[in-house]
Every structure is written in structure tokens, then in C-alpha cells.
Amino acid sequence: MKKKVLTTTIATGLMAAGVLTTQNPASAKADTVPTGDNATSTNEVATQKSDAKTIAQDNVNTAQTNLDKAKADTQNASDSLQKAKANETTAQKAVDEQTNKVADTQSNVDKAQADVTTAQNELTTAQENAKNATETNIQAAKDNVATQEQNVATAQDQAKQANDAVTEQANKVADAQSNVDKAQADVTAAQNNVNAAQKTVDDAKAAMDPANVQATVDAANKAEAQVNQDKQDVATAQNNLENAKAADATRQTNIDNAKKAVNTAQANVDFSTKQAQEMKDQLNKYQGIKDAAQKEVDGLNDKLANVNTITISDVEAYKKAFNDWYTGSKRGENWTEEDKNFLNDFMNSNTYKGNEADKNITVDINHLTADQIKELSLFSADLLNQVRNQLGLPKVIVTEGSLKLAKDVTDNYVSDNWDKFDHDVDGISRAAEENGLLSGGNFYEDAIFSSDFSEASTMDDLKSILYTGIVTMIGGSGDEMLHAAGLLGVDFGDDISTGKEQYFSAGTSMFPIKEDQMWITKMGHFFNVSKDYIRDSAKFSTTEVPGTSTEDLVTQLNTAKAKLASATDALNKAKDADTQAQQILAKNKAELATAQDNLTKAQNVPVQTETAQKALTDAQNKLATDTKINVDAQAKKEAALGDEAAKQKVLDQANANLATAQKALTDAQAKQKVAENNLSAEKAKLASLQQVANEKIQDVKTAQVALDDAKNKLAALENAPLLVKAAEDKLAAAQKALDPVENVLVSEKAKLSALKQDLADAQADVTTAQKNYDEKLAIQTKAQTDLDNAKKVLQAIYDREALEAQIAAQEKAREEAEKKAAEEKAQAEKNGYHVYGNKVVDENGNQVSNWTVKNGQIIDNKGKVVSGLTINKAGAIVNKTGQQINSKNVVDNLQANKRTQAPVVQSKVAGKTYVSTVVAPEKAKANALPQTGEKAGKTTLVGAILVGLGSLVGLFGLGRKKEY
């Protein structure tokens, strides 16, 4: 019953956890096990357990499968996310790179637009100059140039005068500085005189002392000798001054001559600089003229290079083929193979040049505008006139009347729904009558038919048809020359040299041909109107339509080439003149440099007079000073040798001289102050003059700028037509350069827009992939949780089975232990003394009255441990040898122990440790032996044994089952 209750409890616990709630209906078996006395049988419980384990394992397997699938889905989602992110990175990189390209292209567009703006401004300026390029304005510009040249000359002269004033003032400053230096020297000399006078006073005072007489005499002798030496020094200085003056005169002469040489050289440089600039201006002018002429030639060459031409390689051979076709009784009868081969070569050697600009012009072939008819007519007339010119025939002329005829005829083709390989003669006649021309037949139109399956047409397509039509008709296409005669203005049968001047135009139309199948045919129309076919001149205008033909371009090119040759010749002459002017300027600059170097050398020669004069002055001043000293010394000498009155007189004179010297010092200092003030004033004036000179130099620069501007304006007026042409070419080139880069910008922006959309799509894919990944990861996480829970359920079942097995084993061990203990207990009861509760009984079940059991030991009636006896695990009382005592051997065992006190010992009983003091037994007494009383009752004895067994079982740990 215990096992059933335990199993049911575990199963119920698992069910309560909710782990099995997702299982199939079979799992309900384990959920309905009863827990009372009416519980399901053991076999049924085992079956339910087996089903629960199977279901739990299935749940684990299913959860593992779900997890594996979830992981695979998550990995796929992760791969998709990484791929989407990589695509996003690639798209972002492409956007960044394209953004840079757009920025670069925008920069190119901005630059090209700036070039267009600059060119437009230059053209506007050139056109304004051309408008103003009248003889009056040109002469005014020339006069202005002359005025500005005079202004430059005037400014240069004023600048020179200002510089001369600066030089003159600089000399005055130098003189003032010299005066200051002299005044300073005078102050110094005066100070020296004061010092000397003071010393004389001191000496005079000293001379009044008799002890200084010899010294005074010696000083007087020395002073006299010094005066004599000073006189010789003055004479030498005077001679040196005369020599210095002569040397300085020579220096000044050299400087003056060097300045004249510099001025002459500077004038030569100024003149040659002006000439060199004029030659440079002239060179630039002719260079501009030559460049403009070259641009014109290059432009015309470019135009002619793109012009479609028709060339007859052998005019006489062509005329022969033309005339051979008309001779004989039958047209074409005399046409030779040579004629045919020549004409075939003619048609094969002349091919149409495509035009890229015309390819971008879409046209409605059946409804051409007036400008388009005009363009096609002038194009065809130019081709036809090339041929006529080579054959010596009069040219065709495009007129307003011929253009109207072309439009009316082509309109009639359209309105008549023409669908045949033939001429709409009725439509031609109606148009001729409406335009005042001879009517009633096809007297005007030659046509070429071009089968084409495309209804879309461009101006280039139409020009190609018309070019091919003229070449094939002139070349006798279809083995006949009737079309050639019509286009060349030759009446049928006449010699080719009899061609007429005609009014000419061209047009086109398109229509379906109805034969075996429908296809589109493009038709080129050529209209030649002879003057004698005009019936009503009021209806047919012969006013020529202006246009530029190939012949006109050739004429313009020849004229431009002549201008270029003339401009080149003038430029070469200007280059020679410029080279000569530059050589002369270089030579004059070299001479100026030499003259300036000579002047510098002359000026660097030291001025000697001033130094010599100073030396003389110093010598004279020293002589004067020393003379005074000598006079004083002699007076002192005389006084020293004289009486006291004389000495006093010398002292008085010395004091008077000191006062005079001090006044002289004061006067010298005053003069020095005046000199210094004068120097400051002269320096201030020099600074003012230098400012004026700087302003005059700036005036020269300003005047030169005005002169250059006047020359440029004159050149612009004189070369206005060429400059306008050059500006037009520059603007055209700038505009031509702008269009492609603008187209590239549009293209690059479109690419950028597409790439941005790709990026947006890639970012959206990343968002979607990220969401999908998050969802798959959440599913994987849940699958992992389900698997963990399923494994927990399965493990719980395994743990339960292990627990049940452990409990069963413990139960079995307990039962076996109880059985063994009962057997041992029974044996112990049978063999002798044994324990019953806390009592000791003998083999007959009688209680031993004087022994009790306490703490696993036998205690006597005195409360002492009975020595030598122990209780074994079966509850038997045994001696030291393990022999169970009984009623027969109890006395022997007790008396065998000596009466000694034993130490405290430890003993283990059934795994527990006991502490006791063993006391040796006293001498045996009758009442000391254990006494047995009444035999315990059977029921009581059995109960006691069960209690003992319960305690024993407890010692073996069976109580641990409560942990489960």
C-alpha cells in the first residue's frame, strides 16, 4: 500500500506542474490514479507509468525536432538578414559613389555654365564694341590713347620732379645733420675749455702754495712746448684741407658726369620701354587678329568637313555618258560599258555623311514646317549646284515661290492618299496652276522612292534620301538620263552644255504601297521651274531665299585664308619689331645699369673736405685752448716766481677766464639746440616730400592703367568684327560643351535616383529580414524552452523510478534487517541474559532485579557500571570474549573481574558513541548478584522487543525515507 500511495503522489505532482498538458489522450491514464483504498492495481499503475514515460520521451523527441527545425529556420533567416545587410551596404556604397559622381558632374556643369556666362558677357561686350566701332568712335579712342600717353608722360615728369625735390631735401637734411654734429663738437670744445679753465683756477690756487713753485714752472714750460707743437699741427691740417678740397672737387665732377650719364641712360630706357610696350601691344593686337582669323578658318574648315559633296571625277567622261544616252534612234542605244562603269563608279564614290545634330531632330515627313522645307531645299540646291558648277551649267535658285510649290505638291500627295510608284501628275498640275505655272502634266517634279519599314523620321533621314536621290538621278539610275536632264535643266535630247537656270526646291512625303503586302515608302521630291513656265508672276514669287551654300563657304574660307595670311604676315612683322624693341630695351637697361654703377662708385668715394676741415678746426681749437693754458701757465710761473700780489692776480684772471668759458659753453649748447630743431624740421619736410613723391609714382601707375585700358578699347573697336566672331565661336563652343555635361548630369542624377530606390528597397529588405529573424529566433527560443521542459518531465520520471527503486531497496534492506534482528533477538533470548527496554532479563524471560540498562550500559543497584559486560547489537549481554552470560555463568563472569577502578573509556553500540567509567566489582555478595524476578508477560515482552527493534532499525538510518 505504501508503494502505491508514493507512486500516485509523484504522478499527481507531475501533472499539477502542467508539463503533460500538451500530450495525446493516452497520457490521461497517469492522471487518474486513485489514492485511496480502491486504488488501481499495481499492474495498472505500472502500465500508466510506462505510458507516461513513452509520452514524455515522445515529447522530448518532438520538442527536439521542433528545435532543430527552428534553428534551421533561424539560421536561414540569419543568412537572409546578413545577405540583406550586405545588399544594403552595397547599395549604400553605390549611392555614395554615385552621389560623388553627381557632385563631380554638377561641378563640371557649373564650370561649363560659368564658361557660357563668361563667353556670353564677352560676346555682349564685343557686340557692343562692334556697334560702337564707328570711324568717329575709333578716332575718339585714338585721341584718348594719345591723351592717356600725354597723361603718363606728365605723371612721369611730375614724379621725376618730386623725386628731385626729395633728393634736394635729403641734401639739406645732410647739411642740417652736419650742423648738428658741428654744434655738438663746439659744445664738447666749450666743455673742454670750461674744464681747462677750472683746472687753471685750481692750479692758481695751488700755485699760491710755495711748495708748488717747481711744479708750476714745469707746467709752464710744458704748456709752451705744447703750443709750439699745436702750431705745427695747424699748419699740417691747413695743408691737408687744401688737398681735400681739390680731391672733393674732382669727386663732385665725377658724380656730376655720372649723373648726366644716368639721366641719359634712363631717358633711353624710358623711351625704349615705351617703344617696347607699344610693340608688345601691337604684337598682342596682331596676335588677336591672327587668332580670330585662324578661328574663322578653322570654323569654316570644320563646316566644310561636315558638308555633303558630290564630285564628278571626270567631267568629260560624264558629259560623254550623258550625250551617248540621247544619241541614236533609241535612247541608251549608244551607251557603252565604259559609260555605265563610269556612272556606277560615280554613284559608288559619292556617299552621304550622317549628321549627329540632324539625327536628334524628329520630323513629320508628311507635314513639314516651312523652315524644314526651306532647309531641305537649300541642302538639295547646294548639292545640285555643286554638280552644275562642275559641268559649267547655270545654278539653281531657291525662291519663295519654289518653296510654296514644294509644299503644295507634297500636300497634294498626302491629300490624294497617293500609294503608287509613280508621280501624282494631277496633284502636281493642281499645285502648278495654283502657283501660276504651266499646268496639265508633270513639268516640274523628279522623285526618288525609298522603301523603309519605319514611319519615324529625322531630318538626317530626309537629307539622306534627298542626297541619294540626286546622286542616283545624276548617275543615270535605271539606265536612263531623263531625271539627270530634269535636274540639270537640259531639255530632252539637247547637249548637256545647254542647261538652264531654274528655280528649285525639295520636299518629302510618305505613303503605303499596296501590292502583295503593305509597306511604307518614303519619297523625295525635287522641283525645277524654268522661267518660261511662269504664267502668272503674281502667283509665283522669284524672291531668292538666302542661304549659305558650299560655294559660299568655300568663298568665305578663301577670304578667311587671305585674312589669315595677311594677319600672319602682320603678326610676323610685329614679332620682329617686338624682338628689336626688346633688344634695344635690354641694351639700354644694361647701359643704365652701368651708368648707375659708375654713379654709385663715384658717390661711394669718401668726402675729404669735411673731415679735413674738422681736423683743422680741432687743431685750431686745440691751439687756442693750449695757448690760453700757456698764457695761464706763464702767468702762474711768473706769479710763482713773483710775490703774493702777483699770484692773486693770476687767480683772479683764472676765475675771470672760467666765467668766460662757462658762458661760451652755454652759448654753444644753445646753438646745438637750434641746430637740432632745424634738423628735425628738415627731416619732417623730407618726409612730406617723400609722401608727395610716392603719390606721384602712384599717379604714374594709375595713368599707365588708364593708357592700357584706352589701348585695349581702341584695339577692341578696331578689331570688333573679328572679336565678335571669336566671341561667338567661344560662346558656341561653351554652349556645345555645356549640353553634354548637362545631359551627363541628368543621366547621373537619374542613376542616383534609381540607386537611392535600390537602397530604399534594400533597407526595406533588411527591415523585413530583421523582423523575420526576430520571429524565427523567438520561435527557436520557445522551442528550446519546450525541449528543456520536456526533458525535465522525462528526467523527473527517470528520477521517480530511481527513487522508487531506492525506496524499494531500503524497504527490502529494512525488512531483512528486521528479520535478522528478530532472529538474533530470539537467539539472544534463548541463550541467556539480554536487554528488554531498560531492563535485563534472563533466558527464561525473568527480569534481573538488581541490573538496569542506562545509556547502553548495565548499571547495578548502586548506580555503578557492571564491569566486564557489554550489550551486543542483538541485545545480548556478553563478556569480554563475546560469550553471552546466562543464569549458570553469570557468577563466574562477575568474579573474574578484579576490583579496580578503570579509566574512562568510549564504546560504540550500534554506530553511536558512549562515554562511561568502568569500576571494578566489589567482592561478590549474595545480594550483589543479579536477581531475576517474575517472567514478563508475553504480550509485554513482545512489545518491548518491537520497541528495541525499532530503536535498532533507527540506528541503521531507515528513518531517511522521510526525505522523500
Side-chain angles (χ1 to χ4, degrees), residues 691-901:
Q691 178 64 30
V692 172
N694 292 340
E695 292 173 356
K696 295 302 180 183
I697 292 173
Q698 184 59 44
D699 290 344
V700 171
K701 294 179 180 178
T702 302
Q704 187 62 53
V705 171
L707 175 58
D708 294 341
D709 183 60
K711 287 181 177 180
N712 291 335
K713 289 181 179 178
L714 175 59
L717 291 175
E718 289 179 333
N719 301 299
L722 291 175
L723 295 176
V724 169
K725 183 65 173 61
E728 289 175 341
D729 292 343
K730 183 177 180 179
L731 177 59
Q735 289 175 331
K736 184 177 180 181
L738 175 61
D739 292 339
V741 294
E742 284 184 331
N743 292 336
V744 171
L745 179 59
V746 171
S747 175
E748 295 298 342
K749 283 185 175 179
K751 291 179 183 178
L752 178 59
S753 178
L755 290 174
K756 284 184 176 180
Q757 183 58 50
D758 292 343
L759 175 59
D761 293 342
Q763 290 171 335
D765 291 344
V766 169
T767 301
T768 301
Q770 184 67 56
K771 181 180 179 182
N772 182 51
Y773 172 74
D774 294 340
E775 291 174 351
K776 297 301 182 184
L777 184 60
I779 292 173
Q780 177 184 333
T781 302
K782 184 178 182 302
Q784 183 67 58
T785 301
D786 291 346
L787 175 60
D788 294 342
N789 290 336
K791 284 183 176 180
K792 288 179 181 178
V793 171
L794 180 60
Q795 187 61 45
I797 292 175
Y798 280 117
D799 291 345
R800 181 191 66 192
E801 291 179 347
L803 179 59
E804 289 178 346
Q806 181 181 6
I807 292 173
Q810 290 177 347
E811 286 292 325
K812 182 177 180 182
R814 185 182 63 78
E815 290 173 354
E816 290 178 353
E818 288 177 349
K819 180 179 178 182
K820 184 177 179 181
E823 291 175 350
E824 290 178 347
K825 185 67 175 175
Q827 187 64 36
E829 291 174 354
K830 179 180 178 181
N831 292 337
Y833 282 16
H834 55 276
V835 174
Y836 177 71
N838 61 347
K839 298 178 181 180
V840 178
V841 296
D842 60 14
E843 62 271 21
N844 297 318
N846 297 319
Q847 180 177 353
V848 179
S849 61
N850 56 346
W851 282 0
T852 59
V853 177
K854 186 177 181 181
N855 295 328
Q857 293 179 316
I858 302 172
I859 306 300
D860 61 17
N861 55 3
K862 293 182 178 180
K864 296 183 178 180
V865 176
V866 179
S867 178
L869 299 181
T870 59
I871 303 171
N872 67 12
K873 63 181 180 179
I877 297 173
V878 297
N879 59 18
K880 293 180 179 179
T881 62
Q883 179 184 12
Q884 185 174 4
I885 63 173
N886 51 40
S887 299
K888 295 179 179 182
N889 61 18
V890 63
V891 175
D892 296 333
N893 279 283
L894 291 174
Q895 292 179 346
N897 294 309
K898 294 181 180 180
R899 190 176 179 82
T900 57
Q901 180 65 41

Side-chain angles (χ1 to χ4, degrees), residues 533-770:
Y533 282 5
I534 299 175
R535 295 291 179 264
D536 187 349
S537 59
K539 293 183 179 180
F540 187 86
S541 173
T542 58
T543 300
E544 184 174 357
V545 175
T548 302
S549 65
T550 301
E551 184 179 359
D552 293 334
L553 290 176
V554 171
T555 300
Q556 293 175 10
L557 177 60
N558 292 333
T559 301
K561 285 181 176 179
K563 288 182 181 178
L564 176 60
S566 175
T568 301
D569 181 62
L571 177 61
N572 290 333
K573 291 178 180 178
K575 285 181 178 179
D576 292 339
D578 178 64
T579 300
Q580 282 186 335
Q582 293 299 330
Q583 290 173 346
I584 293 172
L585 176 60
K587 173 178 174 294
N588 289 339
K589 283 184 176 180
E591 292 177 353
L592 174 61
T594 300
Q596 289 173 331
D597 184 59
N598 291 336
L599 175 59
T600 300
K601 289 179 180 178
Q603 290 173 332
N604 287 339
V605 173
V607 177
Q608 300 180 33
T609 299
E610 185 177 352
T611 302
Q613 181 64 57
K614 185 176 184 303
L616 175 59
T617 301
D618 290 343
Q620 290 172 336
N621 290 336
K622 190 172 188 302
L623 174 59
T625 300
D626 289 343
T627 298
K628 291 180 180 179
I629 292 173
N630 183 47
V631 171
D632 291 340
Q634 296 304 322
K636 289 177 183 178
K637 176 182 177 182
E638 183 179 352
L641 296 176
D643 55 16
E644 290 299 321
K647 292 180 181 180
Q648 184 60 49
K649 182 179 180 181
V650 170
L651 177 58
D652 293 340
Q653 184 60 48
N655 284 326
N657 292 341
L658 175 60
T660 301
Q662 288 175 334
K663 183 178 185 303
L665 174 60
T666 301
D667 293 342
Q669 288 175 333
K671 290 180 180 180
Q672 180 187 10
K673 183 63 175 178
V674 171
E676 288 176 344
N677 291 339
N678 183 58
L679 175 60
S680 297
E682 295 297 344
K683 284 184 176 180
K685 188 174 182 181
L686 175 60
S688 176
L689 291 173
Q690 186 63 60
Q691 178 64 30
V692 172
N694 292 340
E695 292 173 356
K696 295 302 180 183
I697 292 173
Q698 184 59 44
D699 290 344
V700 171
K701 294 179 180 178
T702 302
Q704 187 62 53
V705 171
L707 175 58
D708 294 341
D709 183 60
K711 287 181 177 180
N712 291 335
K713 289 181 179 178
L714 175 59
L717 291 175
E718 289 179 333
N719 301 299
L722 291 175
L723 295 176
V724 169
K725 183 65 173 61
E728 289 175 341
D729 292 343
K730 183 177 180 179
L731 177 59
Q735 289 175 331
K736 184 177 180 181
L738 175 61
D739 292 339
V741 294
E742 284 184 331
N743 292 336
V744 171
L745 179 59
V746 171
S747 175
E748 295 298 342
K749 283 185 175 179
K751 291 179 183 178
L752 178 59
S753 178
L755 290 174
K756 284 184 176 180
Q757 183 58 50
D758 292 343
L759 175 59
D761 293 342
Q763 290 171 335
D765 291 344
V766 169
T767 301
T768 301
Q770 184 67 56

Side-chain angles (χ1 to χ4, degrees), residues 384-405:
L384 190 55
N385 282 333
Q386 292 178 36
V387 176
R388 285 191 170 214
N389 185 53
Q390 293 173 75
L391 296 174
L393 300 176
K395 296 192 297 182
V396 297
I397 302 172
V398 177
T399 69
E400 293 179 357
S402 66
L403 292 179
K404 184 174 183 302
L405 176 64

